[in-house]
Amino acid sequence: MLEISDEKFAELAAEAWKKIPKYFHQQMDNLAIRIEQRVSQEQMHHLKTGNTLLGLFEGTPKTAWGQDSIGTQPSKITIFQETILNTVTTGKDLENLILEVLMHEVAHYFGYNDDEMRILDEKLRGKLKD
């Protein structure tokens, strides 16, 4: 496990957040970003997942917003510090993974599901190889 302080992790997360293109930032409303040490029991039970969850989007995707969305609690992106630190071995890997997790959860905010993101990722990786 990579060892860094909570403050340094938060600083890296803030830097990663700044790297998300402005176009997306301009489209995001009613969204909170949080760092938690690990996935809660409630989240694990609700999602039926193991401890390998790196991040989580909770809320209503922007594509589903309507009249019922007015006055609702903000959607939330949580990144799980302990799980991420257990996944990486270098500081550069950590920076890249935090950015990847944030971008993945932002995609959920915009209504993409995991299957759609996997397809987009494969297409992008294919283009990068050409």
Side-chain angles (χ1 to χ4, degrees), residues 46-58:
H46 177 68
L47 297 170
K48 297 178 178 76
T49 186
N51 290 328
T52 57
L53 193 63
L54 303 174
L56 179 64
F57 170 77
E58 296 173 281

Side-chain angles (χ1 to χ4, degrees), residues 91-107:
K92 190 64 177 167
D93 289 344
L94 176 60
E95 290 175 36
N96 291 336
L97 185 56
I98 291 171
L99 178 59
E100 184 178 327
V101 169
L102 282 172
M103 291 176 64
H104 179 95
E105 301 310 330
V106 165

Side-chain angles (χ1 to χ4, degrees), residues 3-41:
E3 300 272 341
I4 67 165
S5 69
D6 293 347
E7 293 79 17
K8 180 65 176 175
F9 189 92
E11 181 182 307
L12 292 173
E15 288 300 314
W17 185 249
K18 291 177 189 174
K19 291 179 182 177
I20 293 175
K22 284 185 181 182
Y23 171 79
F24 294 108
H25 279 282
Q26 293 169 347
Q27 304 300 316
M28 289 187 269
D29 298 307
N30 206 25
L31 177 66
I33 310 297
R34 297 187 44 92
I35 297 171
E36 296 291 342
Q37 286 299 313
R38 65 193 62 79
V39 181
S40 72
Q41 291 293 338

